[in-house]
Amino acid sequence: GDSVTQMEGPVTLSEEAFLTINCTYTATGYPSLFWYVQYPGEGLQLLLKATKADDKGSNKGFEATYRKETTSFHLEKGSVQVSDSAVYFCALVNTNAGKSTFGDGTTLTVKP
Amino acid sequence: EAEVAQSPRYKITEKSQAVAFWCDPISGHATLYWYRQILGQGPELLVQFQDESVVDDSQLPKDRFSAERLKGVDSTLKIQPAELGDSAMYLCASSVRRGSSYEQYFGPGTRLTVT
């Protein structure tokens, strides 16, 4: 079945540091890939997405590129802020079924 | 901006009691999902509706959980009887198909604590 593997956390960075959170997936067919962010006590917010190979999703300074050859969708940001502290989830959607399969999340803490 | 609504936001119940959660998806979204998120893990699909029909409930513990979406709009998830292991965040989402992809929108969730 479909699966998503994220790098284990927690990740602690200083403000303005470079961020990478690794995500790899296993899926049949050609899934769409997503990154979600979850702040304490809240639901999930869509951060960015990519629907086909070599697509780059971007939003709020975050980027991720759909790499079919390495089955990866790593999240990056050039300069993190304290307000980026949250839990980040990588997910895929099987386009036939429409349901999401999530990784276990990576907790990011950014210190001033 | 339209949002997925859920209530209640928090629920504390004793084990063996019944509990129900409500979800109102974004207007026009035919697909509705209920996910369970255990602390420290990613959400796991419990049930997926297409309009009023269940299309996937393979991970729903049917001996105690039930879900309905009678008119193809809002939905209710019920647990009876609740067990300690049911303590989790219950997330509702609705989706719209954009091209070849589904884009899901999540509600704020219901945090359930079973004592």
Side-chain angles (χ1 to χ4, degrees):
Chain A
D2 298 342
S3 67
V4 175
T5 302
Q6 286 182 236
M7 65 182 286
E8 293 187 11
V11 174
T12 302
L13 296 173
S14 298
E15 205 165 22
E16 299 183 2
F18 185 86
L19 168 71
T20 300
I21 301 178
N22 290 338
C23 171
T24 58
Y25 68 90
T26 301
T28 55
Y30 301 95
S32 296
L33 302 175
F34 300 80
W35 277 100
Y36 290 87
V37 59
Q38 186 175 37
Y39 298 99
E42 298 185 11
L44 276 70
Q45 298 177 24
L46 177 64
L47 182 59
L48 54 84
K49 68 174 184 179
T51 59
K52 62 183 186 296
D54 300 325
D55 266 3
K56 177 185 284 187
S58 61
N59 185 28
K60 300 180 182 179
F62 292 89
E63 294 183 341
T65 301
Y66 190 142
R67 301 289 188 197
K68 189 171 184 293
E69 64 276 14
T70 55
T71 62
S72 65
F73 193 54
H74 305 321
L75 182 68
E76 296 182 336
K77 187 175 185 182
S79 176
V80 293
Q81 305 300 312
V82 173
S83 57
D84 294 327
S85 298
V87 182
Y88 292 81
F89 291 93
C90 184
L92 67 84
V93 173
N94 182 308
T95 53
N96 292 326
K99 72 174 186 179
S100 292
T101 300
F102 288 85
D104 283 338
T106 301
T107 300
L108 171 66
T109 301
V110 180
K111 296 187 174 181
Chain B
E1 183 176 315
E3 296 180 341
V4 176
Q6 288 188 250
S7 66
R9 291 292 306 276
Y10 305 92
K11 181 70 177 178
I12 300 174
T13 191
E14 294 182 350
K15 63 180 181 180
S16 80
Q17 296 298 304
V19 64
F21 315 130
W22 177 80
C23 172
D24 191 13
I26 293 173
S27 178
H29 284 195
T31 309
L32 183 148
Y33 314 78
W34 283 102
Y35 289 88
R36 177 171 59 186
Q37 184 181 16
I38 296 170
L39 189 64
Q41 298 181 18
E44 180 184 37
L45 181 71
L46 291 175
V47 62
Q48 177 182 345
F49 289 92
Q50 181 68 28
D51 298 310
E52 67 276 8
S53 300
V54 173
V55 297
D56 186 345
D57 63 356
S58 57
Q59 300 303 311
L60 187 71
K62 298 180 187 64
D63 57 334
R64 297 185 301 107
F65 286 63
S66 64
E68 61 182 16
R69 192 183 184 200
L70 293 176
K71 297 183 179 179
V73 182
D74 59 338
S75 175
T76 302
L77 178 70
K78 298 179 181 177
I79 308 174
Q80 183 174 15
E83 295 181 353
L84 295 177
D86 296 331
S87 295
M89 174 80 89
Y90 291 82
L91 295 166
C92 179
S94 65
S95 74
V96 61
R97 187 155 185 155
R98 297 192 191 282
S100 62
S101 173
Y102 287 88
E103 193 162 304
Q104 291 190 0
Y105 296 83
F106 284 82
T110 296
R111 169 73 67 188
L112 173 66
T113 302
V114 182
T115 63

